[in-house]
Amino acid sequence: ETGVTQSPTHLIKTRGQQVTLRCSSQSGHNTVSWYQQALGQGPQFIFQYYREEENGRGNFPPRFSGLQFPNYSSELNVNALELDDSALYLCASSLSGAGVTDTQYFGPGTRLTVL
Amino acid sequence: AQKVTQAQTEISVVEKEDVTLDCVYETRDTTYYLFWYKQPPSGELVFLIRRNSFDEQNEISGRYSWNFQKSTSSFNFTITASQVVDSAVYFCALSEVGGTYKYIFGTGTRLKVLA
């Protein structure tokens, strides 16, 4: 196990609602990355947080937003849910810093279904 | 632009057979990282290996081996004497160096090992 935890495990929402997904990073890691994995596809990068600041964003609309807390845990918020948002959402933690490129370790994911 | 191609969508082998999963990547960077992850039915991405662009040595870990060839932009993964427990989806990923270190994933190869 990686020590990265995510909650909830599964979630069902209806179109137009808002959702918050949570991630606790591995001890000692200061960076959290979020990915969306649609069925049958590879994970797609949503954004990354490093020391509580957004540190890069993929091709996702502004209704996807996030936070990182002082303990390096993180939240992913999605507003105005659409049917296409149904996917497995993966959180990955890593250690970043000057000259450091650590491997990303993934949590078990949250499966979101939008009806 | 960076891209990872896993042309094999699904592979089926009989237990104890050897199997090779192909990965071809595209990047303009001279420094980058390559990864392989395993995704069992539970959904969690399990880290298998990381290789940086300056290290073309092949690596062997138990029944797993990896062949990195910069000349053909390939990073192939071989499982020797496959077992039923190897059944999973395997993803190859590419990471830039600097910035977000976001991962670009391929679409994955589903491996089915039949008893």
Side-chain angles (χ1 to χ4, degrees):
Chain A
E1 292 195 2
T2 63
V4 181
T5 61
Q6 292 186 243
S7 63
T9 306
H10 295 88
L11 203 52
I12 299 175
K13 292 285 188 179
T14 56
R15 198 169 46 182
Q17 286 189 312
Q18 178 265 341
V19 68
T20 297
L21 310 182
R22 295 177 175 82
C23 171
S24 291
S25 57
Q26 187 175 111
S27 177
H29 285 181
N30 57 10
T31 302
V32 172
S33 305
W34 287 92
Y35 293 81
Q36 180 196 65
Q37 186 180 15
L39 202 60
Q41 300 296 315
Q44 299 288 319
F45 176 73
I46 302 175
F47 45 54
Q48 182 181 88
Y49 278 83
Y50 170 62
R51 292 186 176 179
E52 303 178 58
E53 298 285 333
E54 187 177 289
N55 184 42
R57 188 178 186 92
N59 189 26
F60 281 81
R63 59 189 185 83
F64 285 78
S65 63
L67 283 173
Q68 187 179 33
F69 301 99
N71 66 354
Y72 302 127
S73 65
S74 177
E75 287 182 354
L76 164 64
N77 299 289
V78 187
N79 294 321
L81 284 167
E82 300 178 359
L83 297 179
D84 285 348
D85 295 333
S86 295
L88 180 68
Y89 288 84
L90 294 163
C91 160
S93 80
S94 56
L95 178 64
S96 300
V100 173
T101 312
D102 192 21
T103 298
Q104 294 183 13
Y105 294 91
F106 286 80
T110 294
R111 185 161 299 282
L112 172 65
T113 301
V114 182
L115 302 176
Chain B
Q2 297 181 318
K3 185 180 178 182
V4 174
T5 301
Q6 295 180 257
Q8 303 153 308
T9 305
E10 184 169 314
I11 301 175
S12 291
V13 298
V14 176
E15 207 170 17
K16 298 184 182 177
E17 284 187 358
D18 298 347
V19 58
T20 296
L21 309 182
D22 298 333
C23 173
V24 174
Y25 63 92
E26 296 175 29
T27 180
R28 294 179 183 174
D29 296 337
T30 55
T31 304
Y32 49 89
Y33 288 89
L34 295 165
F35 304 82
W36 275 95
Y37 284 85
K38 174 183 179 179
Q39 189 174 45
S42 61
E44 182 170 346
L45 282 170
V46 177
F47 167 72
L48 296 177
I49 190 171
R50 178 174 96 163
R51 175 63 83 229
N52 75 53
S53 53
F54 296 110
D55 182 3
E56 288 193 71
Q57 274 195 325
N58 293 330
E59 181 158 340
I60 298 174
S61 176
R63 295 185 298 107
Y64 295 170
S65 62
W66 291 269
N67 181 270
F68 177 28
Q69 292 194 342
K70 286 181 75 171
S71 60
T72 56
S73 297
S74 65
F75 186 42
N76 296 337
F77 172 32
T78 297
I79 302 175
T80 302
S82 60
Q83 300 176 1
V84 172
V85 293
D86 295 328
S87 298
V89 181
Y90 291 85
F91 289 96
C92 179
L94 168 69
S95 170
E96 62 187 12
V97 175
T100 62
Y101 303 109
K102 68 179 181 183
Y103 287 13
I104 308 298
F105 283 87
T107 51
T109 297
R110 180 176 298 278
L111 174 64
K112 293 184 177 180
V113 181
L114 308 173

